[in-house]
Amino acid sequence: GGHAKVVIATARACGWEVAAAYDDDPELNGARVLGVPVRGALTDAPAGAPAVLALGRNASRERAARRFSMEWVALVHPAAVVHDSVALGPGAVVFAGAVVQPDSRLGGHTIVNTGATIDHECRVGAFCHVAPGAHLAGGVVLEEGVFVGLGAGVVNGVTLGAWSTLGAGGVAIRDIGPRTTAVGVPAKVVS
């Protein structure tokens, strides 16, 4: 899908040669993504090989990461700005135009998408996705699996609970509990 294209482009920009892609859709076997051959299902990927999960959905990335034993590599696009003090978990990806400020931590298999910003001392758990143009102010905590939608914002010191969603354009000005969805300005829980 489209997310795989961005991951492949980022890997190449980082100087990696992308040898193959794997997808569980049998109709994609033999297809090409940006010239990269799809060589079968995820179970066909060689164990222990350097890899990045190019799955945009948080829950899908979590299931795949727990299923396979790979050398998960973190990727930071050269057109991103990531301070030297930032800790990157295995399989984390930071796309072009993103900024991650000092003393922040990104958990494993987290996506910091195009043009997103994460300010100082944020804690982003594993399997999170900070969508394009989303912004986290300083000291924000995203627990595991959080999705921050396109152009959304989170003010200083706010925590979004595990597997919660902040909808596109929403602004979280107070904590949001786990497994809930909040939308609007200011964001209100809708489910």
Side-chain angles (χ1 to χ4, degrees):
H3 185 70
K5 290 177 182 177
V6 181
V7 171
I8 290 168
T10 299
R12 287 177 171 161
C14 292
W16 286 82
E17 178 184 340
V18 182
Y22 297 88
D23 195 296
D24 286 340
D25 182 348
E27 291 187 18
L28 293 176
N29 194 8
R32 291 188 168 272
V33 180
L34 293 182
V36 175
V38 178
R39 294 207 175 131
L42 292 174
T43 54
D44 297 324
V52 176
L53 288 168
L55 301 167
R57 296 186 62 178
N58 295 353
S60 297
R61 268 193 331 284
E62 180 199 27
R63 281 191 302 275
R66 296 191 193 291
R67 246 175 84 196
F68 299 102
S69 177
M70 306 297 281
E71 180 192 335
W72 301 116
V73 295
L75 295 176
V76 175
H77 194 286
V81 177
V82 177
H83 190 267
D84 291 342
S85 65
V86 171
L88 296 171
V93 293
V94 181
F95 292 143
V99 177
V100 184
Q101 295 288 15
D103 294 327
S104 290
R105 290 192 322 233
L106 304 181
H109 306 284
T110 283
I111 299 167
V112 180
N113 219 313
T114 309
T117 63
I118 297 177
D119 217 323
H120 59 89
E121 301 161 332
C122 287
R123 302 294 176 255
V124 179
F127 311 109
C128 289
H129 185 160
V130 181
H135 304 288
L136 308 183
V140 166
V141 175
L142 304 183
E143 295 178 349
E144 182 179 270
V146 170
F147 178 77
V148 178
L150 180 77
V154 183
V155 302
N156 292 53
V158 167
T159 296
L160 303 187
W163 300 98
S164 64
T165 297
L166 175 60
V171 178
I173 64 169
R174 61 183 59 87
D175 293 355
I176 295 173
R179 299 194 181 276
T180 58
T181 298
V183 299
V185 181
K188 293 183 175 32
V189 173
V190 294
S191 68

